[in-house]
């Protein structure tokens, strides 16, 4: 393969055998990826027998999209540890994560383009305004900020994080145009300027409300899960285990007992609480595949439970 005189070859011969240009070999040499064995009397680069295999490895790594700095680290590990592979595994994993993000961004862009393509001409300006405000793939930080401002300020960090996992929907990796539109509307909902003089939080969040928000939200999570099962089955709101769990959450947070009087008081309080139904409607549209039954959300579960409570206390009053 190499000239028998000294076992070395020049840059042109190495490039020809590897199927690359001389410029490519020089590029990798200048960056330390392809060490020279020697220089000729005229200053020309000379390479040893191992250069061809190394050049092919460099080309393979670069074809996978790995940057030069990562290729350098992989080769250094190969030289020092006889192919331990840790650096290569980390680099490949990082490249896969980056590629996944790029693919997700492309899918969101495609769905956004289809959304504009499919809408009526008189809707296009509004659609473009909505989707133009959202990154691709979308960031959920604005949704998290909305809830952090809405939740009780004294709420423990663990309970807050658990609630955010439920309240902030994860955008689908391969969305349909309707899901892109729903997320864009959700983003507009949480970033719109605040208006009006009414209450912005439930009474339980105020200074005179519950002093145990962690107990309240942990109990509500259980109640919402139970109600969600009923919603998936298409069941109408009614008293039962789900409602008992719902009321227990508030009773425990207020350090009181579940009694008929407390249920009437709670029904009145919840009736006066501010509503953010639109948020939960949009969340359901984001997480539900088009054509499928709506997925239950914390909001729809809360509405189901409140309707059961309201019906029960109304019957009691009657």
């Amino acid at each position: 393969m190499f000239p028998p005189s000294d076992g070395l070859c020049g840059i042109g011969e190495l490039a020809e055998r590897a199927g690359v240009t001389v410029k490519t070999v020089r590029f990798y040499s200048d960056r330390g990826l392809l060490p020279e064995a020697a220089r000729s009397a005229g200053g020309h680069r000379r390479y040893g027998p191992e250069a061809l295999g190394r050049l092919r490895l460099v080309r393979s790594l670069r074809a996978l999209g790995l940057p030069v700095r990562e290729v350098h680290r992989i080769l250094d590990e190969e030289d020092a540890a006889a192919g331990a592979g840790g650096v290569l595994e980390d680099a490949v994993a990082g490249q896969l994560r980056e590629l996944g993000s790029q693919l997700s961004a492309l899918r969101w862009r495609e769905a956004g383009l289809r959304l504009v393509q499919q809408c009526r001409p008189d809707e296009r300006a509004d659609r473009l305004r909505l989707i133009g405000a959202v990154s691709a793939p979308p960031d959920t930080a604005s949704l998290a900020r909305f809830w952090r401002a809405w939740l009780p300020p004294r709420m423990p960090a663990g309970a807050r994080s658990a609630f955010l996992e439920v309240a902030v929907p994860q955008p689908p990796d391969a969305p349909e145009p309707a899901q892109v539109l729903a997320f864009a509307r959700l983003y507009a909902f949480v970033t719109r300027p605040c208006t009006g003089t009414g209450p912005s939080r439930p009474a339980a969040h105020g200074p005179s409300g519950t002093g145990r928000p962690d107990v309240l939200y942990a109990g509500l999570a259980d109640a919402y899960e139970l109600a969600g099962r009923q919603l998936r089955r298409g069941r109408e709101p009614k008293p039962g285990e789900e409602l008992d769990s719902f009321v227990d959450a508030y009773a425990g947070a207020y350090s009181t007992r579940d009694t008929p009087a407390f249920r009437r008081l709670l029904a009145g309080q919840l009736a006066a609480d501010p509503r953010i139904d639109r948020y939960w409607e949009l969340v359901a549209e984001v997480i539900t595949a088009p054509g499928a039954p709506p997925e239950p959300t914390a909001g729809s579960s809360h509405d189901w439970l409140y309707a059961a409570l309201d019906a029960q206390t109304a019957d009691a009053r009657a």
Side-chain angles (χ1 to χ4, degrees):
M1 183 175 103
F2 288 87
S5 57
D6 60 1
L8 305 179
C9 74
I11 189 171
E13 183 178 356
L14 177 61
E16 182 180 358
R17 291 182 181 278
V20 299
T21 65
V22 169
K23 183 178 179 180
T24 298
V25 178
R26 186 176 293 113
F27 175 82
Y28 292 145
S29 294
D30 291 344
R31 279 151 184 78
L33 301 177
L34 192 64
E36 305 162 16
R39 289 267 181 158
S40 69
H44 298 293
R45 305 170 195 255
R46 305 285 286 172
Y47 297 92
E50 74 285 349
L52 182 58
R54 188 172 180 102
L55 178 55
R56 286 171 173 165
L57 175 60
V58 170
R59 287 187 65 201
S60 297
L61 294 171
R62 291 287 289 149
L64 292 173
L66 297 178
V68 170
R69 65 180 181 278
E70 293 292 342
V71 174
H72 214 307
R73 293 178 61 228
I74 292 167
L75 294 176
D76 287 346
E77 183 185 56
E78 290 282 328
D79 294 339
V87 175
L88 175 59
E89 291 176 3
D90 291 345
V92 169
Q95 193 68 13
L96 285 172
R97 287 192 297 271
E98 182 178 344
L99 185 60
S101 179
Q102 292 172 0
L103 289 173
S104 180
L106 288 173
R107 294 187 188 106
W108 273 83
R109 286 173 56 190
E110 179 188 19
L113 289 169
R114 287 167 53 199
L115 175 66
V116 175
Q117 183 185 54
Q118 295 168 5
C119 71
R120 300 192 311 267
D122 60 310
E123 295 176 325
R124 285 177 184 161
D126 182 61
R127 296 289 190 271
L128 289 170
R129 176 184 60 81
L130 286 168
I131 64 177
V134 180
S135 61
D139 187 357
T140 59
S142 57
L143 278 64
R145 284 195 295 271
F146 170 82
W147 284 110
R148 289 193 183 97
W150 190 86
L151 291 169
R154 60 190 178 279
M155 189 171 181
R160 187 185 301 269
S161 297
F163 179 82
L164 290 177
E165 288 183 10
V166 175
V168 177
Q170 292 306 307
D173 289 331
E176 293 294 326
Q179 291 172 299
V180 171
L181 179 60
F183 192 93
R185 285 172 169 165
L186 189 60
Y187 176 85
F189 179 88
V190 300
T191 56
R192 72 192 191 286
C194 294
T195 58
T197 58
S200 60
R201 293 191 181 98
H205 296 184
S208 60
T210 172
R212 306 179 66 188
D214 53 332
V215 173
L216 173 61
Y217 280 90
L220 289 178
D222 293 337
Y224 292 163
E225 182 177 355
L226 292 172
R229 296 173 187 171
Q230 299 296 340
L231 283 165
R232 288 188 179 93
R233 296 168 183 163
R235 304 284 174 79
E236 292 296 321
K238 61 180 180 60
E241 177 187 9
E242 301 81 14
L243 180 57
D244 292 343
S245 178
F246 182 65
V247 175
D248 282 345
Y250 282 96
Y254 282 100
S255 299
T256 188
R257 293 185 303 110
D258 177 5
T259 64
F262 177 75
R263 292 199 175 204
R264 290 193 296 272
L265 178 66
L266 179 61
Q269 176 183 300
L270 294 179
D273 277 345
R275 310 294 297 177
I276 51 174
D277 291 338
R278 183 56 176 159
Y279 179 94
W280 296 112
E281 291 169 0
L282 292 170
V283 167
E285 292 179 28
V286 170
I287 65 176
T288 303
E295 282 292 323
T297 65
S300 60
S301 295
H302 184 94
D303 288 346
W304 191 95
L305 291 161
Y306 169 70
L309 176 65
D310 185 56
Q312 183 186 58
T313 54
D315 289 343
R317 288 194 301 273

